[in-house]
Amino acid sequence: MLKLLPLPRPAWLAAVAAVGSLAGCSKAVVLNPAGDIAAQQGNMVIQATLLMLIIIVPVIALTLWFAWKYRHNNAANTEDDYDPDWHHSTTLELVIWTVPLLIIIALGALTWIGTHKLDPYRPLDRISATKPLDAQSTPLEVQVVAMDWKWLFFYPEQGIATVNELAAPVDRPILFKLTATSTMNAFYVPDLAGMIYAMPGMQTELNAVINKPGVYKGMSTHYSGSGFSGMTFRFHGLSQQEFEQWVARNRSEGKPLDRNTYLALAQPSERDPVQRFASVEEGLYDKVLNRCVEDGKMCMHHMMAIDENGGEAYVRAMGLNLPQDVCTSQNAEQVVASLEASPTPRTPRAE
């Protein structure tokens, strides 16, 4: 048999440090986040773990106890302890089946309630466990675009945009609306809330709040190609005054974001620095969502409206011909104008 040589003390210390590093960051952000939604999700993880430990801990303890009690060289065992005809115990059966069943019921109730309460589309009903939601407050809307391989953030209320930098006031609800340019991706700020997907041509939503000032890490959590590992950003939790200063800085240092600038920005690139835009062309996010930023390209919601109203027959009734009139830039404006005069077209939403 091979004999293991004892490691010197520095080697043992290095091994302990390596194992410790595998445990993740010391902050344990998922269980100690700075936002209320993430905190409630972390509490669900703890509660579910404790419920499962009700079974796991006794099973492990009994396994060790049985192995020790019925070991071969246990002199305390006698012939009277051996009962080869034993086959049933009503008490034991009740414990074996009832306790796990109760735990499953509790886990199911916990998951069902938490899933509906923490639905990312559901507006917040509180700021934190100790602070109710002000009925007069309005959420800060942030429109998120997952690109290759960077993040673009629109602030429609402030009229600005940023690349790879996000900020919001502390204790103010945030409404994220998310889409993507080409590849499905996932938006995740561990301190803020759970992961939410962003998909081309569709819009997802996430309601969240940050409760502590600080700088937090944001990332992509869905592999999207060679630049995936560098698709990170910083999320700043600021006071209201600091947020207003941050907005003013973007307006003073940034440049305009129009259709042509966006098309250049949408080209794949890796590890982009922070970029600021002092103004945004009106309706640009909607064009990104509906995949019609390029000149002469019909928007998806207009195509959906045509299909909903009868397709080719509907367009012909407006005096246009398919497919040329819809697919050429010369007649696209006429088709769009006709659609705008009809009932409001639907916005695609990911369920």
Side-chain angles (χ1 to χ4, degrees):
M1 180 181 292
L2 294 175
K3 184 176 182 181
L4 297 177
L5 296 176
L7 291 175
R9 181 172 295 180
W12 278 108
L13 294 176
V16 171
V19 172
S21 67
L22 294 176
C25 61
S26 58
K27 185 182 176 183
V29 62
V30 173
L31 301 180
N32 186 34
D36 184 60
I37 295 297
Q40 293 182 68
Q41 293 170 339
N43 289 337
M44 284 186 61
V45 172
I46 294 174
Q47 293 167 2
T49 302
L50 292 176
L51 281 171
M52 291 183 286
L53 287 176
I54 293 175
I55 283 293
I56 294 172
V57 171
V59 167
I60 293 175
L62 287 172
T63 300
L64 296 175
W65 181 76
F66 271 91
W68 174 256
K69 178 175 176 58
Y70 295 105
R71 67 191 186 277
H72 177 69
N73 60 348
N74 186 2
N77 290 334
T78 64
E79 289 294 331
D80 294 336
D81 297 325
Y82 179 60
D83 186 4
D85 296 324
W86 183 91
H87 64 281
H88 179 75
S89 169
T90 301
T91 303
L92 186 59
E93 291 286 340
L94 286 174
V95 172
I96 289 174
W97 291 103
T98 303
V99 176
L101 181 61
L102 292 175
I103 292 174
I104 292 171
I105 293 172
L107 280 173
L110 178 69
T111 304
W112 191 90
I113 294 172
T115 300
H116 287 79
K117 183 179 180 181
L118 300 176
D119 181 353
Y121 285 85
R122 179 179 178 179
L124 301 185
D125 55 7
R126 71 181 197 184
I127 296 298
S128 68
T130 58
K131 188 172 183 179
L133 180 68
D134 185 356
Q136 305 300 322
S137 67
T138 57
L140 172 69
E141 182 176 331
V142 181
Q143 297 164 340
V144 183
V145 181
M147 310 176 81
D148 296 329
W149 286 272
K150 49 192 168 288
W151 294 95
L152 174 61
F153 303 104
F154 293 95
Y155 286 79
E157 180 182 336
Q158 290 74 24
I160 62 172
T162 59
V163 170
N164 288 342
E165 185 176 72
L166 179 62
V170 170
D171 288 343
R172 180 179 177 182
I174 312 169
L175 171 59
F176 293 101
K177 296 183 177 181
L178 305 100
T179 189
T181 54
S182 60
T183 305
M184 184 171 70
N185 220 302
F187 173 86
Y188 186 35
V189 182
D191 272 285
L192 190 64
M195 179 186 71
I196 186 76
Y197 276 94
M199 291 165 278
M202 306 190 81
Q203 178 175 279
T204 50
E205 294 183 7
L206 174 66
N207 286 274
V209 64
I210 194 72
N211 300 116
K212 299 177 183 177
V215 181
Y216 308 102
K217 183 177 181 180
M219 68 192 82
S220 167
T221 52
H222 185 93
Y223 182 73
S224 57
S226 60
F228 161 76
S229 60
M231 195 173 170
T232 60
F233 61 92
R234 294 293 180 185
F235 171 64
H236 300 267
L238 307 172
S239 66
Q240 182 60 42
Q241 182 179 0
E242 290 172 333
F243 178 71
E244 292 173 357
Q245 294 172 352
W246 180 83
V247 172
R249 179 186 175 190
N250 280 274
R251 288 173 176 163
S252 63
E253 298 180 2
K255 55 186 178 181
L257 178 59
D258 55 20
R259 183 180 305 191
N260 293 329
T261 305
Y262 170 82
L263 291 174
L265 185 66
Q267 298 302 312
S269 59
E270 299 183 20
R271 301 185 184 277
D272 285 57
V274 173
Q275 299 183 49
R276 307 178 191 279
F277 299 96
S279 61
V280 179
E281 180 179 318
E282 185 177 356
L284 183 57
Y285 172 78
D286 289 331
K287 289 183 173 66
V288 174
L289 171 61
N290 288 285
R291 304 180 67 78
C292 56
V293 179
E294 298 86 348
D295 287 330
K297 187 174 182 180
M298 178 169 283
C299 295
M300 284 182 57
H301 67 292
H302 288 138
M303 292 183 183
M304 293 168 65
I306 290 174
D307 292 339
E308 188 175 17
N309 284 283
E312 182 177 355
Y314 171 70
V315 176
R316 288 187 182 279
M318 295 191 300
L320 301 172
N321 296 317
L322 285 178
Q324 291 81 8
D325 289 345
V326 173
C327 296
T328 60
S329 59
Q330 289 80 7
N331 293 320
E333 291 185 3
Q334 184 179 357
V335 176
V336 170
S338 300
L339 290 170
E340 294 291 356
S342 64
T344 303
R346 297 182 300 172
T347 297
R349 164 178 164 168
E351 297 295 344

